[in-house]
Amino acid sequence: QVQLVESGGGLVQAGGSLRLSCAASGLTFSTYAMGWFRQAPGKEREFVARISMNGIGIYYADSVKGRFTISRDNAKNTVYLQMNSLKPEDTAVYYCAASSPARGWGLREANFDSWGQGTQVTVSS
């Protein structure tokens, strides 16, 4: 059974930084692409970032490009999201997601098999 556990969320002032972590278990981590999504109040969940199995293929939503960095440590079964220059509009619940090879490449929710429970990020102005 795949389990994804996010941590590192919290309250931060605009311009600040946070680092989210997602610890994965129950899967062969190095064979899964990983991603981050977020859902703001009253909005649909949206794509934030994706990283390939080997960490080479990386994609970002335009809204976070240049501010957020996704990375992974396959030895620790963990994926990270470094968030800098945070803005109030980054306030959301952030979800970690895993994508098996069977799901194919993509940036939509349907391209990911498993999801974490989410961690709240709140950016004050």
Side-chain angles (χ1 to χ4, degrees):
Q1 180 179 351
V2 176
Q3 188 171 16
L4 304 174
V5 179
E6 302 98 335
S7 61
L11 173 64
V12 64
Q13 288 189 330
S17 298
L18 282 174
R19 187 195 196 202
L20 305 183
S21 299
C22 172
S25 60
L27 76 169
T28 305
F29 185 72
S30 61
T31 67
Y32 279 67
M34 299 296 294
W36 288 95
F37 287 74
R38 67 185 181 185
Q39 186 169 21
K43 295 187 177 181
E44 294 188 350
R45 190 155 57 182
E46 64 176 4
F47 167 77
V48 174
R50 175 187 171 113
I51 187 167
S52 64
M53 295 182 289
N54 57 13
I56 294 176
I58 291 177
Y59 304 88
Y60 297 101
D62 287 343
S63 58
V64 307
K65 206 170 291 183
R67 300 187 297 122
F68 290 12
T69 302
I70 188 171
S71 62
R72 65 189 295 161
D73 186 337
N74 285 350
K76 296 183 178 180
N77 284 10
T78 301
V79 62
Y80 305 96
L81 186 68
Q82 177 67 43
M83 305 185 295
N84 299 329
S85 303
L86 282 162
K87 305 175 181 180
E89 51 264 42
D90 294 318
T91 294
V93 177
Y94 283 72
Y95 297 91
C96 172
S99 177
S100 67
R103 289 280 175 167
W105 186 93
L107 306 177
R108 299 176 299 136
E109 291 186 52
N111 294 115
F112 292 82
D113 303 278
S114 304
W115 297 83
Q117 82 289 349
T119 186
Q120 177 71 46
V121 171
T122 302
V123 184
S124 63
S125 57

